[in-house]
Amino acid sequence: MSAVIEGKGGFRTWLNKRLPVDQFVEDQLTGYYAPKNFNIWYFFGSLALLMFVLQIVTGIFVTMHFKPGWESAWPSLQVMVREVPYMWLIQGLHVVGASFFFIVVYLHMARAFLYGSYKAPREVLWVIGMLIYLALMAEAFMGYVLPNGNMSFWGAQVIINLFGTIPGIGPDLVEWIRGDYGIGDALLNRFFSLHVVALPLVLLLLIGLHLVALRQVGSNNPDGIEIKEKLGKDGKPLDGIPFHPYYTLKDIVGVGLFLTVFAIVVFFMPTFFGLFQESPNFEPASLVSTPDHIKPVWYFTAYYAILRAIPDQRLGALLMALAVAAFMFMPWLDRGKNKSIRYRGIASKLLLAMFFISFLLLMWLGLQPAEPLYVFMARVCTVTYFAFFILLPFVSKADSNGPVPERVIYHAH
Amino acid sequence: MLINARVALSLALVFGAGAVSANEGGSASWEREPENEVSNLPSLQRGARNFMAYCSGCHSLKFERYSRLCEDLKITGEQCDALLVRPGDKRTDYIKSSMPEKDAVEWFGKAPPDLSLAARSRGPKWIFNFLTTFHADPASRQTGVNNLQLPGTAMPHVLASLQGVQSVVWQNVEQKGEDGAVTTAREFKGFEPGVSGSLNAQEYDGFVRDTVNFLDYVGDPTQLERQGIGIWVVLFLLMFTGIAYMLKKEYWKDVR
């Protein structure tokens, strides 16, 4: 159905004959039907997109004043935030934004775990999402290394040396990544190039694909019911409402709430108790003085805790990679008939709770010094973390066959 | 109620006893909170004066210009030139130390660090405790003093003329190692006044607090402006969210 109103002259008709603006708006917004029972968990997709745009826009300005390189990076950052008008704000939004991007993405992923959003027919949507997560981790890591603060530097040492544990090619690979025998201009300049050009383009492409796949299969919902299976006489889903104006307006409320929290952190606690900006990074990289506890930023610490829990570094690095890769297989590991956790048995609920708790505990443990008690706890959590993926096929098959309502549950307000 | 009172009493005894034994056991702490307030302008001005008089001989603030400092601290241009700007420097210059780095390495073994971001990397508390816990130590052949916050520091007690030189009362504590072997370690018990300086203890704490406050400002010079703007941003966002919510509610009336 063409959205162009025939017979109506003027610029709009002229434009639509040449560029399908109205058609696009109808396909993507006014004619795209989403389930009406979205809850608070469904804010985080649009918020992730908002964070991506914010990082690009603030990043453009940071790039104007930043000078990559071993000697120049750290001072250029200090001069930028102190002397260029309002760069303290733009750089603050960028660095705090990185942490909030991950908060939003983790909650977005947790939503998929709760309501089985990765299950058929959304496997490809999920896998693209996981590729976004991987690209985002690379993007964030490089952005973290670029300022060449002391924690940036020592953190980069640890992470890059992990590639050295790959049998055979490891040491050569590390040298190839660094382009030198140590971290220096070569690495910092190529990370700059990747951080500001290559990875944002990759992310843009993947996010586009993620949205195309979403429009193809439609959103899941808290009840895990396919709304396309119950169509009204007009061919529209009975439980669906047009994305615009309903969800555009609802998402704006989400944006307002989110930005309020975000602004409180940016303006009143930009280091967030040393979690979003760590105190050793207020010193330039130094070959002779090591930070007391070398650790990555909070959004990587769950995997870092797994790495440290394993005495053998090579095995630790392998498990760390597996811990991330395991997400990819969720659509096939989960064999439940029902998607949503609402209509699964107690065993499934406990299993998922165990996984969430393991992940959060690992995250916390990765921030702690490697003391015996913490390492022991990290080992326990590593076991429960992987136990989730191993047990899921059996548990999900056995206890998610309860009755599911015909229509989504929605209480009008 | 009686049981509760008993529990409370026994808890108080346990913790009270704990507190006493902590004192006797030597873990009395020299660590104190600086309690500085960056919004306290007179304190910042005194801190700037202190820094230029006692610190800037060796330490630079290489990311801070005199002009920025004077503007932020409401010091007039004339006062700035007369009291803060080092002879030979311009008001728009960065605050450099008067000591050539090569000489510094020769004299102290390492160059004194730039302090522009000291309050962000170490924190105000660290600096406060560093400047208040210098004490006489015959074992230190270089400077004759040592420091509880940074043992073995290369920095001499520059503020000795103000604080005097205190000594530490140590006490020996027996510790059981993991292998069960008993070793003796010394623990801090308290300070003992030694050579007195020109300030009393309270005045000296005030002097250090002002200086730490100044470094806190230098570490993050926009912090006051940021918080001032932040209040309006948050208020605007709350209002925006409220209006957006009402609009959403109006539209969603139709959804059944």
Side-chain angles (χ1 to χ4, degrees):
Chain A
M1 191 181 85
S2 171
V4 182
I5 302 148
E6 297 296 332
K8 193 180 163 193
F11 175 70
R12 193 161 164 187
T13 313
W14 180 87
L15 182 66
N16 271 296
K17 277 183 181 160
R18 289 153 181 84
L19 187 75
V21 179
D22 287 358
Q23 186 68 53
F24 181 82
V25 168
E26 184 181 323
D27 290 349
Q28 303 302 321
L29 297 167
T30 53
Y32 170 66
Y33 277 68
K36 63 185 177 185
N37 61 331
F38 283 174
N39 57 18
I40 195 168
W41 288 99
Y42 285 79
F43 280 138
F44 301 111
S46 60
L47 290 179
L49 189 61
L50 174 76
M51 288 318 294
F52 177 71
V53 173
L54 183 82
Q55 292 303 86
I56 295 286
V57 173
T58 53
I60 287 169
F61 287 93
V62 172
T63 307
M64 288 179 193
H65 304 286
F66 182 73
K67 300 174 187 166
W70 179 263
E71 287 290 339
S72 56
W74 196 81
S76 79
L77 183 65
Q78 306 312 328
V79 169
M80 157 193 335
V81 297
R82 284 164 167 269
E83 307 215 315
V84 183
Y86 288 97
M87 272 311 287
W88 58 265
L89 175 59
I90 293 173
Q91 194 270 345
L93 289 168
H94 196 71
V95 65
V96 176
S99 275
F100 271 82
F101 204 159
F102 272 92
I103 292 174
V104 165
V105 162
Y106 278 130
L107 291 170
H108 189 58
M109 286 160 67
R111 192 275 318 273
F113 276 80
L114 282 172
Y115 303 134
S117 307
Y118 44 75
K119 284 181 68 66
R122 300 186 180 81
E123 303 96 319
V124 173
L125 178 64
W126 172 257
V127 170
I128 295 169
M130 291 320 301
L131 292 176
I132 294 175
Y133 178 53
L134 286 181
L136 191 64
M137 288 204 284
E139 176 73 348
F141 170 65
M142 288 175 187
Y144 180 76
V145 172
L146 279 176
N148 206 31
N150 208 23
M151 190 68 102
S152 302
F153 169 65
W154 288 98
Q157 291 276 37
V158 173
I159 302 294
I160 292 168
N161 282 334
L162 286 180
F163 290 95
T165 61
I166 298 173
I169 58 165
D172 291 337
L173 183 64
V174 170
E175 204 178 300
W176 181 75
I177 292 170
R178 287 193 301 233
D180 203 339
Y181 298 112
I183 292 176
D185 277 349
L187 177 110
L188 292 169
N189 282 302
R190 64 182 53 174
F191 270 23
F192 183 67
S193 164
L194 295 171
H195 182 78
V196 304
V197 183
L199 281 163
L201 283 176
V202 170
L203 279 166
L204 187 64
L205 176 74
L206 288 171
I207 292 168
L209 288 174
H210 196 60
L211 287 173
V212 170
L214 176 68
R215 290 303 188 256
Q216 177 70 17
V217 293
S219 294
N220 186 33
N221 60 75
D223 288 309
I225 303 166
E226 293 303 321
I227 60 164
K228 283 180 182 172
E229 286 168 8
K230 296 275 187 304
L231 298 181
K233 286 191 187 106
D234 55 357
K236 311 281 190 206
L238 284 170
D239 282 331
I241 45 176
F243 192 86
H244 180 76
Y246 296 106
Y247 280 116
T248 39
L249 283 174
K250 194 177 178 184
D251 280 348
I252 287 174
V253 179
V255 165
L257 287 171
F258 171 79
L259 285 182
T260 306
V261 177
F262 185 49
I264 289 171
V265 176
V266 167
F267 286 97
F268 298 99
M269 42 182 99
T271 65
F272 204 68
F273 314 107
L275 214 55
F276 293 178
Q277 296 182 72
E278 299 137 311
S279 45
N281 275 337
F282 290 109
E283 275 171 39
S286 163
L287 294 164
V288 288
S289 103
T290 327
D292 292 341
H293 307 295
I294 300 177
K295 56 179 172 47
V297 215
W298 69 269
Y299 42 76
F300 291 138
T301 46
Y303 306 118
Y304 185 59
I306 292 177
L307 173 76
R308 280 197 313 194
I310 312 300
D312 179 65
Q313 206 201 8
R314 183 172 288 172
L315 190 65
L318 183 70
L319 278 185
M320 191 180 177
L322 256 180
V324 184
F327 288 123
M328 291 267 189
F329 302 100
M330 281 304 289
W332 300 280
L333 291 174
D334 184 344
R335 299 194 293 170
K337 194 166 128 284
N338 303 337
K339 290 195 190 81
S340 171
I341 194 74
R342 288 181 179 178
Y343 308 111
R344 293 188 183 212
I346 187 75
S348 290
K349 285 175 180 155
L350 286 174
L351 191 68
L352 188 59
M354 179 189 80
F355 174 71
F356 283 168
I357 292 167
S358 307
F359 190 82
L360 291 174
L361 263 179
L362 282 169
M363 206 175 241
W364 179 75
L365 288 164
L367 290 166
Q368 308 308 315
E371 282 164 15
L373 175 69
Y374 295 136
V375 173
F376 173 76
M377 284 172 74
R379 283 182 187 152
V380 174
C381 290
T382 304
V383 171
T384 52
Y385 181 97
F386 285 105
F388 168 77
F389 293 100
I390 295 164
L391 293 175
L392 184 63
F394 310 104
V395 173
S396 60
K397 183 148 197 191
D399 87 332
S400 68
N401 303 309
V404 173
E406 286 283 298
R407 300 273 302 273
V408 303
I409 295 170
Y410 175 73
H411 308 286
H413 19 238
Chain B
M1 278 309 285
L2 188 65
I3 295 170
N4 279 345
R6 269 190 199 161
V7 170
L9 187 66
S10 50
L11 277 177
L13 280 173
V14 168
F15 284 107
V20 170
S21 70
N23 267 335
E24 286 173 352
S27 60
S29 184
W30 41 265
E31 274 189 309
R32 289 185 293 157
E33 292 295 332
E35 287 164 358
N36 64 308
E37 279 173 50
V38 180
S39 56
N40 185 343
L41 203 58
S43 163
L44 289 180
Q45 291 169 343
R46 290 194 299 270
R49 180 201 60 197
N50 298 350
F51 183 89
M52 293 313 295
Y54 289 91
C55 316
S56 72
C58 304
H59 294 284
S60 56
L61 297 174
K62 63 179 175 187
F63 293 112
E64 180 88 359
R65 296 178 198 268
Y66 292 104
S67 50
R68 169 79 188 263
L69 169 72
C70 292
E71 198 177 307
D72 287 350
L73 267 49
K74 312 263 188 305
I75 300 171
T76 64
E78 289 149 26
Q79 284 177 312
C80 194
D81 289 335
L83 300 171
L84 297 176
V85 180
R86 197 194 314 279
D89 282 356
K90 290 193 296 293
R91 207 191 300 163
T92 47
D93 282 344
Y94 289 114
I95 305 175
K96 295 180 285 276
S97 83
S98 6
M99 190 166 51
E101 193 177 320
K102 193 168 152 279
D103 291 344
V105 174
E106 210 167 288
W107 296 336
F108 298 104
K110 60 176 281 199
D114 177 72
L115 296 184
S116 304
L117 285 111
R120 303 205 81 178
S121 59
R122 301 285 201 178
K125 187 181 174 184
W126 191 98
I127 306 172
F128 184 83
N129 287 312
F130 178 69
L131 291 177
T132 50
T133 63
F134 274 99
H135 60 89
D137 184 0
S140 161
R141 269 178 284 172
Q142 278 266 344
T143 57
V145 289
N146 208 334
N147 192 280
L148 294 176
Q149 180 70 62
L150 187 63
T153 178
M155 180 169 140
H157 189 11
V158 177
L159 304 175
S161 64
L162 303 175
Q163 189 192 21
V165 182
Q166 59 193 359
S167 3
V168 170
V169 183
W170 300 101
Q171 69 176 16
N172 293 329
V173 187
E174 289 188 346
Q175 283 178 329
K176 238 184 193 163
E178 274 177 29
D179 51 355
V182 177
T183 51
T184 318
R186 61 176 202 172
E187 277 187 358
F188 173 82
K189 197 177 175 197
F191 286 116
E192 199 178 54
V195 187
S196 56
S198 60
L199 301 180
N200 65 32
Q202 207 183 346
E203 288 168 339
Y204 182 72
D205 281 353
F207 177 93
V208 174
R209 184 172 299 117
D210 291 340
T211 313
V212 169
N213 202 20
F214 170 70
L215 286 175
D216 197 348
Y217 148 76
V218 174
D220 190 3
T222 45
Q223 54 187 307
L224 287 178
E225 185 194 359
R226 194 176 63 219
Q227 290 162 7
I229 296 173
I231 290 166
W232 294 106
V233 173
V234 171
L235 283 176
F236 167 78
L237 285 170
L238 284 173
M239 201 176 70
F240 171 83
T241 310
I243 293 171
Y245 178 71
M246 287 190 283
L247 186 64
K248 178 255 170 192
K249 219 174 161 183
E250 191 61 30
Y251 270 80
W252 277 68
K253 269 185 190 162
D254 310 341
V255 182
R256 295 273 152 237

